[in-house]
Amino acid sequence: MHVVSVQDFAEWRAKARPLLAGDVPPAQVVWNASDGQSGLFDDTPPPAGVRVVSINKDFLPLAENVALHRDGGKWALLYHAAYRLSHGEPHLLKLATDPLVHALAMMEKAVKRDAHKAKAFIRFRSIGDDTFVAWHEPDHLVLRKIGPFFARRFSDMNWSVFTPDESMHWDGETLSFGAGGDKNLVPQDDAQEALWKEYYRATFNPARIKIKMMKSEMPVRYWKNLPEAEIIADMLDEAPERVQAMLRYSQEIPDSAEPFVPESRCLEDLRHAAAGCEGCPLYKPATQTVFGEGAPDARLMVVGEQPGDEEDKQGHAFVGPAGQVLDAALKEVGLERRKLYITNAVKHFKFLRNQAGMRLHRTPTQKDINACLPWLDAEIEALKPTIILGLGVTAGKALFGPSFTLHGQGGRWHPKGEAQGRVTWHPSAVLRAPDAAEKEAIYREIVENLRIAASAAKKDGE
Ligand code: URA
Ligand code: SF4
């Protein structure tokens, strides 16, 4: 019986290798999750000249993720899989129904989801001197997975993330990992933050300058008798701008769906993940995510603004009044809805409730558009349409940037990645137009643009 203690994936790998090479079956290995005090249960180093075991390359990324799972049983499962992969079952990982493969896949999924969540929910707080800290309680040991993401995103600041199990630190150059932290050492809520702010104001540069100034302006014998509380009160007058600026910087992490977007570029995977998106505050009051729908091989993608009241309730795009206008226009040009892919720039319904309790549509801001853009970009990457037709200025801004206007760039082709795109009126403009003549004119323009888009998509598809 081999008793092996292991702390992290690198150690597991190093220790599993000689066991596999020695054909030690899984039942003869006990894997202990060590507390970091190695030595006691260490196995002997591999004898010189052991044969090299090769394992299907798909195992490595899977194993790296599973290694971050909280369940200590992971090491034994990984060894079992490695053993089978290297002992006659090189394609084991393709057998999704195999209980071992399934268990590893579920563990990997849990770790990935937790890493996405950590990216979305970690909020840094300033502790002065351009240093920021965050407290997070992840379900799994995901810091190593998300570290590079934060290092890229906040490369010019000093920061630390503490979890109960481990911590990571960035000094502007190097990412390092250390022991877990204590929740009480990291400001987490506003009350605690206020305490921290006060404490750090006392040691903060502007405050120090203030003390120096006071010292120079006032005879020290008076100065030292000044009650401390008063000094702090005085500092509070001076330092807040700087503290506030830093806290704003910390809190101004832009809302974004990005942490929720999976790597997969399969529309069903995207739809599934988007259902749980909490990338911006719009998900809170809304009923559900309304994701794009349509033929996975559609050449033509239609992009609207955001779901409306009815879409929010039903969970499908363009099923309310604007959808009826769109349906009429589609019918007129002989386009079948199920042959297109229809989506929106923003995936949650943004609304205000009036006094009667009615939900009134609010136009998404550029901030809302930016937050949700990773979904639209992923949909475009997944579908690879040749033609994209935007409906309304929000779609235009999402597709072609914040300065897009219908008057400026509407009704013309613009390249959008590999595709060609154009933007026309939103169908609700027909509903809102003040008189019949204007309604008709807008509707005709939508029909005409649909016709042009459809025929271009057909040509490209041939
Ligand atoms: N308006 C849109 O832009 N999209 C919908 O799904 C419904 C109304
Ligand atoms: Fe996510 Fe978009 Fe919904 Fe915001 S609007 S929560 S980014 S899906």
Side-chain angles (χ1 to χ4, degrees):
M1 182 62 71
H2 299 250
V3 183
V4 187
S5 85
V6 49
Q7 244 200 118
D8 59 19
F9 183 59
E11 200 181 358
W12 176 85
R13 238 178 125 179
K15 294 184 172 176
R17 203 177 284 131
L19 292 169
L20 290 169
D23 299 318
V24 179
Q28 285 178 27
V29 191
V30 175
W31 293 92
N32 279 340
S34 99
D35 56 3
Q37 293 166 349
S38 58
L40 193 55
F41 288 118
D42 268 3
D43 59 337
T44 48
V50 288
R51 81 186 156 88
V52 177
V53 201
S54 70
I55 291 189
N56 188 312
K57 66 172 171 32
D58 291 342
F59 180 64
L60 202 61
L62 168 74
E64 269 172 330
N65 282 320
V66 170
L68 304 177
H69 200 281
R70 182 168 298 285
D71 188 338
K74 65 199 174 188
W75 302 123
L77 289 179
L78 285 175
Y79 185 71
H80 204 146
Y83 186 86
R84 288 177 60 187
L85 282 162
S86 59
H87 287 74
E89 295 181 74
H91 303 298
L92 171 68
L93 298 180
K94 295 237 168 359
L95 306 177
T97 52
D98 182 282
L100 177 59
V101 177
H102 180 71
L104 291 174
M106 296 309 286
M107 288 173 108
E108 178 179 48
K109 202 168 165 190
V111 167
K112 280 186 166 175
R113 199 182 307 122
D114 201 41
H116 281 303
K117 254 168 81 186
K119 285 191 212 163
F121 296 129
I122 283 178
R123 286 288 178 268
F124 289 93
R125 310 237 169 200
S126 164
I127 57 168
D129 290 336
D130 293 319
T131 299
F132 294 81
V133 291
W135 172 255
H136 186 59
E137 294 184 36
D139 293 335
H140 302 289
L141 312 168
V142 294
L143 287 192
R144 275 160 215 273
K145 193 168 170 63
I146 61 176
F149 166 85
F150 283 107
R152 274 196 308 275
R153 196 162 191 177
F154 303 115
S155 60
D156 55 347
M157 299 151 48
N158 300 312
W159 51 257
S160 293
V161 177
F162 291 92
T163 75
D165 312 282
E166 49 182 352
S167 57
M168 65 173 171
H169 315 273
W170 173 256
D171 61 5
E173 269 175 27
T174 316
L175 191 60
S176 57
F177 295 86
D182 181 338
K183 190 172 184 167
N184 296 317
L185 288 176
V186 182
Q188 293 142 64
D189 53 33
D190 289 346
Q192 250 180 313
E193 188 181 318
L195 280 174
W196 273 77
K197 257 194 245 177
E198 207 151 309
Y199 169 68
Y200 275 96
R201 266 177 193 137
T203 57
F204 218 34
N205 287 343
R208 279 198 216 118
I209 290 164
K210 180 72 180 165
I211 292 170
K212 257 196 218 147
M213 200 185 76
M214 289 167 78
K215 274 183 172 169
S216 66
E217 279 177 1
M218 220 188 291
V220 173
R221 64 193 147 92
Y222 292 128
W223 183 82
K224 83 176 172 221
N225 291 333
L226 215 59
E228 205 180 311
E230 233 174 275
I231 300 174
I232 289 180
D234 207 47
M235 286 177 198
L236 292 182
D237 284 343
E238 292 285 311
E241 287 86 41
R242 188 166 168 186
V243 177
Q244 280 311 322
M246 295 176 90
L247 287 175
R248 261 204 313 279
Y249 183 52
S250 165
Q251 283 157 4
E252 266 176 11
I253 299 162
D255 289 327
S256 176
E258 189 197 303
F260 294 89
V261 179
E263 272 154 35
S264 161
R265 283 296 172 270
C266 153
L267 284 166
E268 274 320 297
D269 290 349
L270 294 176
R271 156 193 304 283
H272 182 80
C277 185
E278 298 181 355
C280 82
L282 292 185
Y283 80 91
K284 281 183 208 156
T287 311
Q288 57 193 314
T289 307
V290 179
F291 205 66
E293 278 175 313
D297 60 351
R299 302 292 76 209
L300 174 57
M301 176 187 244
V302 175
V303 182
E305 180 197 67
Q306 64 169 345
D309 183 74
E310 201 53 46
E311 288 80 11
D312 171 79
K313 289 178 193 151
Q314 295 190 31
H316 302 288
F318 283 107
V319 291
Q324 286 167 15
V325 176
L326 178 63
D327 280 338
L330 287 172
K331 198 166 172 199
E332 213 167 301
V333 293
L335 263 178
E336 274 187 79
R337 193 170 166 143
R338 61 182 178 85
K339 294 204 172 140
L340 321 171
Y341 184 88
I342 302 186
T343 191
N344 284 302
V346 173
K347 272 42 174 184
H348 273 106
F349 178 34
K350 183 175 185 179
F351 61 90
L352 257 183
R353 227 177 253 286
N354 71 4
Q355 283 178 335
M358 272 172 67
R359 305 195 301 174
L360 305 180
H361 165 276
R362 285 176 72 202
T363 304
T365 60
Q366 189 62 45
K367 217 167 140 232
D368 302 325
I369 296 170
N370 292 346
C372 213
L373 202 51
W375 289 122
L376 181 63
D377 287 341
E379 282 176 297
I380 294 173
E381 283 172 29
L383 186 74
K384 296 192 180 66
T386 52
I387 302 296
I388 303 174
L389 179 65
L391 303 176
V393 70
T394 297
K397 288 179 194 295
L399 292 166
F400 301 113
S403 55
F404 184 93
T405 62
L406 266 181
H407 290 295
Q409 293 117 291
R412 283 190 280 126
W413 290 115
H414 309 276
K416 172 69 185 174
E418 302 284 288
Q420 289 296 315
R422 61 194 291 129
V423 185
T424 185
W425 297 95
H426 192 281
S428 66
V430 176
L431 302 170
R432 277 201 312 267
D435 56 58
E438 205 165 314
K439 281 182 199 294
E440 179 64 14
I442 293 173
Y443 179 70
R444 283 295 134 215
E445 269 192 53
I446 295 175
V447 170
E448 186 54 21
N449 275 275
L450 267 177
R451 206 189 300 279
I452 293 168
S455 99
K458 220 180 214 160
K459 240 185 265 155
D460 276 16
E462 277 163 10

